[in-house]
């Protein structure tokens, strides 16, 4: 079992709908949580980070963190075809600088 | 805003050759990370440097070495290249302040070993 788990997808969502991406992690000592978007052949692009329980909103994106249940999610409202990409969840342990990566969820927004 | 710079963007080498990848972090960032990403895989952490000292070590082969210089740029040296080393190599940087240490990635170097 990987330390950070994501459903590999693909997750298909109609344009304009809400896309919900989920990530679970096993290390309770995890401190910070990151969502990256990666287009094929391009580098990961930081979308949001969260480190407190609850919701954090930035434009069409909302990150949700529940440390008791050890999951973090990303909601994308009003999904656009340009949101089609692989979304990587990354988790930072308290003990070092290293990010532990999930395998990513491929999101497809259908026009 | 300035981003992470990597060079070269593309590199073709033959087996058993050596390669050097360079990374220039975002100004004022003090930590550099190197990742390797194969097709369809998540980024694999290789090594990181904080203030020119190695801070973490991941799955970096013994054939690879890296360092961070006084101007904070970093170089990844890869020797005795193998076909399996063909991948995208990303450098990321972060600032060690009171924040969550979010990492910002460069555009990557695509290494092809033939």
């Amino acid at each position: 079992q990987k330390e950070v788990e994501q459903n590999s997808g693909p997750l298909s969502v109609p344009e304009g709908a809400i896309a919900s991406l989920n990530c679970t992690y096993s290390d309770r000592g995890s401190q910070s949580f990151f969502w990256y978007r990666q287009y094929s052949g391009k580098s990961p692009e930081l979308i949001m980070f969260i480190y407190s329980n609850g919701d954090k909103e930035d434009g069409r994106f909302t990150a949700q963190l529940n440390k008791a249940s050890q999951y973090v999610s990303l909601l994308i409202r009003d999904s656009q075809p340009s949101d089609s990409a692989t979304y990587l969840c990354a988790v930072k342990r308290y003990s070092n600088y290293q990010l532990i990566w999930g395998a990513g969820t491929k999101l497809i927004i259908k026009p | 805003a300035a981003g992470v710079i990597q060079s070269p963007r593309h590199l073709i080498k033959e087996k058993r050759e050596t390669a050097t990848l360079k990374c220039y972090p975002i100004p004022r960032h003090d930590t550099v990370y190197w990742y390797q990403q194969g097709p369809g895989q998540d980024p694999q952490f290789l090594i990181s440097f904080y203030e020119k000292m190695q801070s973490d070590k991941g799955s970096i082969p013994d054939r690879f070495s890296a360092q961070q210089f006084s101007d904070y740029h970093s170089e990844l040296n890869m020797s005795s290249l193998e076909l399996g080393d063909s991948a995208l190599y990303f450098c990321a940087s972060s600032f060690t302040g009171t924040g969550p240490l979010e990492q910002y990635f460069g555009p990557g170097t695509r290494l092809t070993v033939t």
Side-chain angles (χ1 to χ4, degrees):
Chain A
Q1 183 184 5
K2 287 193 69 170
E3 192 169 334
V4 177
E5 296 270 6
Q6 291 182 259
N7 188 321
S8 62
L11 174 65
S12 184
V13 174
E15 183 177 359
I18 295 176
S20 178
L21 304 162
N22 299 312
C23 170
T24 59
Y25 60 94
S26 59
D27 185 354
R28 287 195 172 273
S30 299
Q31 186 181 39
S32 306
F33 307 85
F34 305 83
W35 282 101
Y36 285 82
R37 176 175 64 195
Q38 187 174 27
Y39 296 109
S40 181
K42 303 296 185 182
S43 61
E45 173 191 4
L46 179 66
I47 298 176
M48 294 187 70
F49 61 84
I50 186 168
Y51 48 86
S52 300
N53 273 327
D55 295 0
K56 179 181 178 182
E57 187 174 321
D58 184 1
R60 296 188 296 114
F61 299 96
T62 299
Q64 299 174 318
L65 174 61
N66 184 321
K67 289 187 177 180
S69 300
Q70 295 176 243
Y71 83 78
V72 58
S73 62
L74 179 70
L75 301 178
I76 306 175
R77 290 181 299 280
D78 189 24
S79 297
Q80 303 296 311
S82 59
D83 294 327
S84 297
T86 295
Y87 288 80
L88 295 159
C89 171
V91 173
K92 179 186 172 299
R93 295 185 183 125
Y94 178 78
S95 57
N96 57 29
Y97 298 99
Q98 188 175 342
L99 287 182
I100 309 301
W101 294 83
T105 298
K106 184 173 183 178
L107 176 66
I108 298 172
I109 306 299
K110 291 190 171 181
Chain B
V4 177
I5 297 171
Q6 290 187 247
S7 66
R9 295 292 309 277
H10 301 273
L11 190 58
I12 300 175
K13 291 285 187 178
E14 294 186 357
K15 280 172 47 178
R16 293 180 288 279
E17 286 192 318
T18 60
T20 298
L21 309 184
K22 297 185 178 182
C23 169
Y24 298 84
I26 292 171
R28 292 185 298 280
H29 280 196
D30 49 21
T31 306
V32 167
Y33 313 79
W34 285 99
Y35 292 90
Q36 177 191 62
Q37 188 174 32
Q41 297 181 0
D42 53 297
Q44 296 297 308
F45 171 71
L46 295 179
I47 195 167
S48 64
F49 292 86
Y50 166 66
E51 286 290 345
K52 292 149 280 184
M53 298 289 289
Q54 181 181 309
S55 53
D56 275 319
K57 191 172 183 180
S59 52
I60 185 169
D62 293 339
R63 299 177 289 107
F64 295 5
S65 65
Q67 58 182 326
Q68 185 180 32
F69 295 85
S70 58
D71 64 351
Y72 292 96
H73 94 273
S74 178
E75 295 183 5
L76 177 66
N77 297 293
M78 311 160 70
S79 63
S80 302
L81 286 169
E82 302 173 356
L83 295 178
D85 296 328
S86 296
L88 271 169
Y89 290 83
F90 293 113
C91 170
S93 72
S94 69
F95 172 68
T96 306
T98 56
L101 285 184
E102 64 268 32
Q103 298 181 18
Y104 295 91
F105 281 72
T109 294
R110 181 175 294 280
L111 173 66
T112 303
V113 181
T114 62

